[in-house]
Amino acid sequence: MSFRTTPSVDYVEDVSPGSGALPPRAWYASSDARSLSLNGSWRFRLSATAGAEDDSFAEEGYDAGNWAEVTVPGHWVLQGEGAFGSPIYTNHLYPFPVDPPYVPTENPTGDHLRVFDLPSDWPSDGGAVLRFDGVESCARVWLNGTELGEFKGSRLAHEFAVGELLKPGANVLAVRVHQWSAGSYLEDQDQWWLPGIFRDVTLLHRPAGSVADFFVHASYDHTTGEGTLRVDSDVDGRVLVPALDIDVATGEPVTVAVEPWTAETPKLYDGVLATDGERVPLRIGFRTVVLEDGLVKVNGTAVLFKGVNRHEWHPERGRALDLETMREDVLLMKRHNLNAVRTSHYPPHPAFLDLCDEYGLWVIDECDLETHGFTEQDWRDNPVDDDRWTPALLDRAARMVERDKNHPSIVFWSLGNEAGTGRGLTAMAEWIHGRDPERLVHYEGDWNCRDTDVYSRMYAFHDEVEKIGQQLDGGTHKRRDLPFIQCEYAHAMGNGPGGLADYQELFEKYDRLQGGFIWEWIDHGVKHAELGYAYGGDFGEELHDGNFVCDGLVFPDRTPSPGLIEYKKVIEPVRIEGDGANGIVHVTNKQDFADLSALAFEWSCQVDGETVESGSLAVPALAPGESAEVKLPEPPADGRGGERQWTVRALLADDTSWAAKGHVVAWGQFAVGARPLPSFPATDRPVVEEGRITLGPAGFDARTGALLSVGGVEVGATPRLDVWRAPTDNDDGAEWQTDTRYGVLWRTLGLHRMRHRLVSVEAGDDALTVRTRVAPAAREVGLDTVYRWTSDGERLRLSVSVTPEGDWTVPLPRLGVRFGLPEADRVEWFGGGPGEAYPDSRTASMIGRWQSTVDRLQTPYVRPQENGARADVRWVELGGLRIEGDPEFWFTARRWTTEQLDAAQHRTDLAAGDTVWVNLDHGLHGIGSQSCGPGPLPQYFLRAEPVEFSFVFSTTR
């Protein structure tokens, strides 16, 4: 009889943060000390449980030749083409039983091996440190057969002293990584669960007398223009800043005249921390963050945050990001006028913070903490209110603060996200306030502001935000005296978010409202050969939250969505308004710190959407908050009687670090006069013969009144009333919401299956009139619809009148006509563009002449839904037809029906058909952001009311 014991795995379920790791310290990218990256190909073995294998793999000489290989940094479930398991997406539900601190026996465990040689010139003196920048979720580490320790805290750095264990060649680094651990209860962030060594692994030489921990204190006095620098260091040395003639001992303060650091003017001074054994480069930004007069102020000025929440994500590599991907994020943010980022919901790769320092972004640095799943049991057993877990919480707070404390971009430390309330959070706040009183503390879950320096909320509706701005929101006395920030708002899931301009108007109206952070930056779609991009449920997860993980302002490939284009316009740092009739431009500098000297202004005049004249515009270098009126030149004469308008743009006057000269920062448009409306004298009469009706250039079916052709252009499906759209994520809302979810009501009412009853076809003296009733099955509500066709001999006019019948208690998704064309590709229109727009997301829609193809009109949301509408269209040409509207209309064209779009779950479900389906809409319902936030405001409802609208059809051939 044999008996085999398995190695102890008690550490996996231990609530402690781990053992063996060095105390946390400041992170820096490089120094003159040697380092060796251990990134690259590692040998890999996957086990189904934590204790399935013994520790022999960590011994020198172990033969792992038959093991697989994975890339580090990386997640094993995103490698091996599915051989190593699959990603799991949940928003807040734990994908294992809630039984803290225990985790299932079925605990995927990845053993990683890396054998490496030291470079031939690796110094023989001093020590060495092995650093892991991120491992999910629990790791146990050996070097050359000696166990170093184990740790939890996936998005946090851990270092081990290894100098005495190193040898010149064949060093064996062994890392056992468990997907689930006690730490998983603290990491229930809204994202994919992705185990692995996903950030860098680095060996650092530590010469005698090298730098240990250090803290750069660089304050700025806005009244004197002076900065005070003091660098505290565990190892004595000197601080040198050549540009400021600074050469002082560590710990010694020095005050000099400086240019301050802000997100708008990110001035950094290059310096050096020099000890006997090492020289560490410093990038110093002078700024002071205070809570004063109930406001967050930097350098004496209240800041308006125009921010975004950023998860780390790449569609192929998950959270294993390289420097260029991080830089791409920052550049996109800067080019779209963002000035702030919240690192939801964990500290990012530290290189990202270097980029925020360099390019200029305010940062809320958030701790690697979320226990959201405990909400399912009313927060019972929540670790943040259990003293046994407090050491782990304090360890996470310390590892964030100590690693990131030297970044001037960071103005807030955030305790974490959606973790309820409790003693552990209070302990974290007290420790952070004591360690770094020069920054503020944030935490959204603390509505009474016991532990925080700002009143923070998620998804507060517009009316509540206004009450908060007016200080009519109640709450504790302390809270009423604090500034308000929406740390999450305007949920950018699918088509949307709507209502951004309405929020921004409130932020700018009330001083107490200091802005907010859109949820979120990027869609977390996983690149998939068959589905395009996969989301929750596509990997067979037992529990999942679907495409709730795709809620970003950029698509998975980092292409800006219409939501980002809208946000850029809404938060422009320059407001450009005008009185077109009198040729006056009103320019306001909306920045907090910078004047307008970096911008150049230009004007252009358009007639019927085409630019006929342009030039430069002299605008003063306005200080922040200042406004000026500037006179435009006389508008050019126009003999055509067309629609005239001014467009004024603010451009970068020179190249910057984040965009090239000529980059458009802001713009405004205003009409020179009223739009001239086309005349349409009805001269022709319908002619009935052999089952066909002819009216001017058009032919109709005499029995049904269906339009068959216009001037030789065949119509595949006659225009008829359409009220349905493929519900957006924001139409459908979220299951937990008690507010009205109109997408659900629309489907319940049957608006997706409307029936059309022909009442009569009447060929009169001057018009063909078709009367119908449009209604859903099983309901008594309906829409009496009359189509009246007239012609002037060359053109065809359709006038539509709609009269609701019954008790319509819900708004309509859309109201217009839909028809089909057998072929169409190129599209040209005069109206809003170039991208899509909806009633509450149309700020960025610029009036002009635009061209596209039918395919490029589509917005590729990860989960297909209503998209692609163009606003304020005067006329559109496609498929040989020209269509003019009275009044302006919304235009959409696609190669599939709305019903096919509604049924699709992924982009690959949509196959182009033989017909191009065209919607000409008199009205559309707003979008809102009810996938997690508020629905559209009442002013953007499309109510069922009597209405008339018309279109004029002619041919372009």
Side-chain angles (χ1 to χ4, degrees):
M1 178 179 179
S2 62
F3 179 77
R4 178 173 179 261
T5 60
T6 58
S8 171
V9 292
D10 290 346
Y11 64 91
V12 174
E13 296 175 330
D14 191 333
V15 298
S16 75
S19 63
L22 295 169
R25 66 185 182 117
W27 189 95
Y28 49 93
S30 64
S31 75
D32 63 349
R34 291 296 305 273
S35 66
L36 177 65
S37 172
L38 299 178
N39 296 344
S41 179
W42 289 51
R43 290 290 182 176
F44 178 75
R45 176 181 65 187
L46 182 63
S47 303
T49 66
E53 301 287 347
D54 61 27
D55 304 340
S56 60
F57 82 105
E59 299 296 331
E60 297 180 76
Y62 182 88
D63 183 5
N66 62 344
W67 286 21
E69 293 187 27
V70 295
T71 298
V72 171
H75 306 277
W76 70 67
V77 294
L78 295 182
Q79 303 184 58
E81 298 182 347
F84 307 137
S86 301
I88 299 170
Y89 168 61
T90 60
N91 167 30
H92 77 279
L93 295 174
Y94 288 106
F96 47 80
V98 181
D99 183 24
Y102 304 110
V103 295
T105 301
E106 298 84 8
N107 187 356
T109 295
D111 289 334
H112 298 68
L113 270 180
R114 177 80 151 86
V115 179
F116 64 93
D117 298 333
L118 293 178
S120 59
D121 58 348
W122 186 269
S124 58
D125 62 326
V129 165
L130 178 66
R131 183 175 70 208
F132 295 88
D133 283 315
V135 183
E136 183 176 331
S137 73
C138 173
R140 188 178 177 192
V141 186
W142 297 262
L143 180 63
N144 293 329
T146 298
E147 182 172 354
L148 304 180
E150 86 284 339
F151 62 89
K152 308 176 189 77
S154 299
R155 269 67 69 174
L156 301 162
H158 294 83
E159 294 182 327
F160 297 91
V162 297
E164 296 181 356
L165 300 176
L166 289 172
K167 56 184 182 177
N171 291 279
V172 178
L173 176 58
V175 185
R176 173 164 285 166
V177 180
H178 307 283
Q179 175 157 18
W180 310 123
S181 70
S184 301
Y185 285 99
L186 304 179
E187 296 174 3
D188 189 26
Q189 293 98 336
D190 176 10
Q191 61 180 348
W192 294 95
W193 298 87
L194 298 173
I197 306 172
F198 69 96
R199 287 186 186 158
D200 306 291
V201 182
T202 311
L203 183 67
L204 305 169
H205 179 237
R206 308 312 298 139
S210 61
V211 172
D213 191 25
F214 63 97
F215 197 160
V216 176
H217 303 270
S219 61
Y220 179 72
D221 186 335
H222 65 280
T223 64
T224 65
E226 294 179 321
T228 298
L229 175 66
R230 187 186 82 246
V231 178
D232 296 332
S233 175
D234 287 356
V235 176
D236 290 342
R238 298 199 68 78
V239 178
L240 300 91
V241 187
L244 298 175
D245 293 327
I246 291 176
D247 182 352
V248 296
T250 53
E252 180 180 334
V254 58
T255 300
V256 294
V258 298
E259 297 177 42
W261 189 97
T262 75
E264 296 167 7
T265 56
K267 175 63 177 179
L268 292 173
Y269 290 92
D270 290 326
V272 174
L273 169 59
T275 64
D276 289 343
E278 188 177 15
R279 294 173 64 89
V280 174
L282 304 177
R283 304 207 76 190
I284 302 166
F286 291 87
R287 57 103 186 95
T288 295
V289 184
V290 297
L291 184 64
E292 183 179 80
D293 303 324
L295 298 171
V296 178
K297 293 185 179 181
V298 180
N299 302 337
T301 298
V303 173
L304 184 61
F305 296 104
K306 304 169 183 178
V308 68
N309 287 271
R310 174 187 176 269
H311 269 295
E312 296 183 303
W313 187 251
H314 187 280
E316 296 173 85
R317 301 191 301 271
R319 287 187 287 279
L321 299 189
D322 61 4
L323 180 61
E324 287 313 305
T325 300
M326 293 183 248
R327 190 185 307 276
E328 185 178 356
D329 279 347
V330 172
L331 292 178
L332 278 170
M333 291 175 187
K334 292 291 291 186
R335 290 168 185 167
H336 289 85
N337 294 332
L338 278 75
N339 71 1
V341 60
R342 175 181 176 225
T343 69
S344 55
H345 296 295
Y346 42 83
H349 191 293
F352 178 78
L353 299 174
D354 286 341
L355 295 170
C356 293
D357 295 341
E358 178 182 351
Y359 292 102
L361 288 169
W362 307 115
V363 174
I364 297 180
D365 196 3
E366 193 147 270
C367 194
D368 189 10
L369 173 62
E370 180 168 335
T371 63
H372 198 177
F374 286 91
T375 189
E376 294 293 318
Q377 53 203 57
D378 296 324
W379 298 106
R380 187 174 61 257
D381 298 327
N382 185 8
V384 305
D385 201 28
D386 183 334
D387 292 339
R388 295 175 301 166
W389 294 80
T390 300
L393 302 181
L394 290 172
D395 180 76
R396 288 171 182 251
R399 290 190 181 278
M400 171 183 69
V401 172
E402 302 295 6
R403 191 197 76 168
D404 297 342
K405 58 182 175 283
N406 295 324
H407 292 282
S409 56
I410 298 173
V411 292
F412 279 101
W413 300 116
S414 179
L415 303 181
N417 183 69
E418 292 177 318
T421 57
R423 292 163 289 175
L425 290 168
T426 300
M428 293 170 68
E430 290 175 350
W431 184 89
I432 292 173
H433 275 122
R435 176 59 174 149
D436 184 18
E438 298 168 358
R439 291 182 177 93
L440 305 179
V441 171
H442 166 274
Y443 178 64
E444 182 272 340
D446 181 14
W447 285 19
N448 289 325
C449 302
R450 178 181 64 180
D451 301 321
T452 63
D453 299 311
V454 63
Y455 178 29
S456 177
R457 288 280 300 282
M458 297 179 182
Y459 308 108
F461 288 16
H462 296 78
D463 56 351
E464 184 184 7
V465 170
E466 179 150 34
K467 289 180 180 178
I468 293 170
Q470 297 169 332
Q471 294 186 308
L472 299 176
D473 54 304
T476 64
H477 178 75
K478 178 184 179 183
R479 190 181 89 183
R480 291 197 303 272
D481 289 338
L482 292 179
F484 177 77
I485 289 175
Q486 284 247 64
C487 70
E488 293 180 22
Y489 79 109
H491 199 248
M493 185 176 177
N495 187 336
L500 287 176
D502 307 276
Y503 270 122
Q504 195 65 26
E505 182 179 348
L506 294 171
F507 295 159
E508 295 181 6
K509 182 177 180 180
Y510 299 103
D511 290 342
R512 187 189 183 194
L513 308 180
Q514 292 198 251
F517 297 78
I518 301 293
W519 185 266
E520 65 166 310
W521 177 240
I522 189 169
D523 287 341
H524 304 208
V526 177
K527 192 169 184 180
H528 193 283
E530 298 175 1
L531 303 176
Y533 290 109
Y535 50 75
D538 288 334
F539 297 98
E541 298 103 307
E542 182 179 47
L543 294 173
H544 68 85
D545 286 292
N547 68 313
F548 201 69
V549 76
C550 295
D551 47 12
L553 291 173
V554 298
F555 297 126
D557 64 357
R558 285 178 163 74
T559 299
S561 76
L564 182 58
I565 305 302
E566 175 79 357
Y567 194 37
K568 175 186 178 181
K569 175 63 179 165
V570 166
I571 60 174
E572 286 174 337
V574 183
R575 178 173 295 160
I576 301 172
E577 301 169 313
D579 177 356
N582 294 307
I584 299 293
V585 182
H586 304 274
V587 179
T588 303
N589 182 359
K590 305 297 293 182
Q591 297 178 107
D592 296 322
F593 297 94
D595 64 22
L596 298 188
S597 58
L599 300 179
F601 291 77
E602 66 177 26
W603 62 267
S604 61
C605 187
Q606 290 81 39
V607 176
D608 289 339
E610 292 186 300
T611 297
V612 295
E613 204 167 310
S614 62
S616 59
L617 188 67
V619 175
L622 300 171
E626 285 188 344
S627 299
E629 289 190 351
V630 181
K631 190 76 172 73
L632 289 164
E634 288 298 317
D638 173 39
R640 295 180 290 175
E643 179 179 354
R644 295 190 295 169
Q645 67 183 16
W646 295 102
T647 302
V648 176
R649 293 177 173 86
L651 319 168
L652 287 180
D654 297 292
D655 291 346
T656 69
S657 62
W658 50 269
K661 176 182 179 180
H663 169 78
V664 178
V665 173
W667 58 271
Q669 279 189 323
F670 26 94
V672 174
R675 175 197 172 198
L677 296 177
S679 62
F680 190 91
T683 58
D684 281 25
R685 60 181 299 169
V687 177
V688 183
E689 52 185 2
E690 298 180 356
R692 184 181 177 93
I693 299 175
T694 302
L695 178 59
F700 297 83
D701 184 291
R703 184 177 60 85
T704 64
L707 177 66
L708 302 175
S709 64
V710 179
V713 176
E714 182 181 349
V715 177
T718 189
R720 67 177 188 170
L721 192 74
D722 190 16
V723 299
W724 182 241
R725 72 184 186 199
T728 67
D729 293 311
N730 290 306
D731 289 336
D732 285 338
E735 292 182 358
W736 66 82
Q737 292 173 326
T738 58
D739 281 30
T740 302
R741 298 159 57 204
Y742 285 107
V744 176
L745 289 185
W746 292 338
R747 209 178 291 276
T748 301
L749 185 60
L751 299 189
H752 61 306
R753 48 177 175 78
M754 299 290 276
R755 297 291 181 259
H756 298 250
R757 177 170 63 85
L758 179 62
V759 176
S760 66
V761 178
E762 306 165 5
D765 289 341
D766 62 349
L768 171 64
T769 303
V770 181
R771 302 181 187 278
T772 68
R773 187 174 189 272
V774 184
R779 306 291 177 182
E780 62 179 356
V781 297
L783 300 167
D784 276 352
T785 307
V786 179
Y787 308 92
R788 188 172 188 272
W789 298 94
T790 57
S791 176
D792 65 358
E794 295 183 355
R795 299 176 295 167
L796 182 71
R797 181 185 181 114
L798 168 62
S799 298
V800 183
S801 63
V802 181
T803 304
E805 283 188 342
D807 185 14
W808 283 89
T809 59
V810 300
L812 299 171
R814 69 174 353 120
L815 183 66
V817 296
R818 175 170 59 162
F819 69 98
L821 291 172
E823 60 178 73
D825 185 26
R826 181 179 173 276
V827 183
E828 184 172 356
W829 73 98
F830 173 29
E836 75 178 23
Y838 288 82
D840 54 352
S841 61
R842 64 191 298 176
T843 310
S845 182
M846 177 183 283
I847 303 300
R849 288 274 291 270
W850 307 104
Q851 293 184 4
S852 179
T853 63
V854 170
D855 292 339
R856 286 193 288 111
L857 287 174
Q858 315 310 309
T859 302
Y861 295 113
V862 174
R863 186 191 74 81
Q865 56 197 272
E866 165 64 32
N867 73 91
R870 267 57 180 183
D872 302 309
V873 176
R874 280 74 162 153
W875 56 256
V876 60
E877 294 181 353
L878 80 164
L881 290 180
R882 178 185 175 97
I883 306 161
E884 299 175 76
D886 181 13
E888 295 92 348
F889 59 98
W890 305 81
F891 161 72
T892 310
R894 52 178 69 102
R895 298 189 186 278
W896 35 79
T897 65
T898 300
E899 291 72 23
Q900 290 169 327
L901 184 63
D902 188 11
Q905 295 300 306
H906 296 86
R907 301 179 197 174
T908 50
D909 295 335
L910 294 169
D914 296 329
T915 301
V916 171
W917 295 95
V918 180
N919 277 90
L920 310 174
D921 289 309
H922 175 71
L924 292 170
H925 188 65
I927 296 294
S929 65
Q930 200 173 358
S931 50
C932 194
L937 290 167
Q939 60 263 38
Y940 304 117
F941 282 25
L942 179 60
R943 304 185 188 279
E945 298 172 337
V947 69
E948 294 186 9
F949 52 91
S950 65
F951 304 100
V952 176
F953 296 80
S954 58
T955 63
T956 59
R957 295 172 179 170

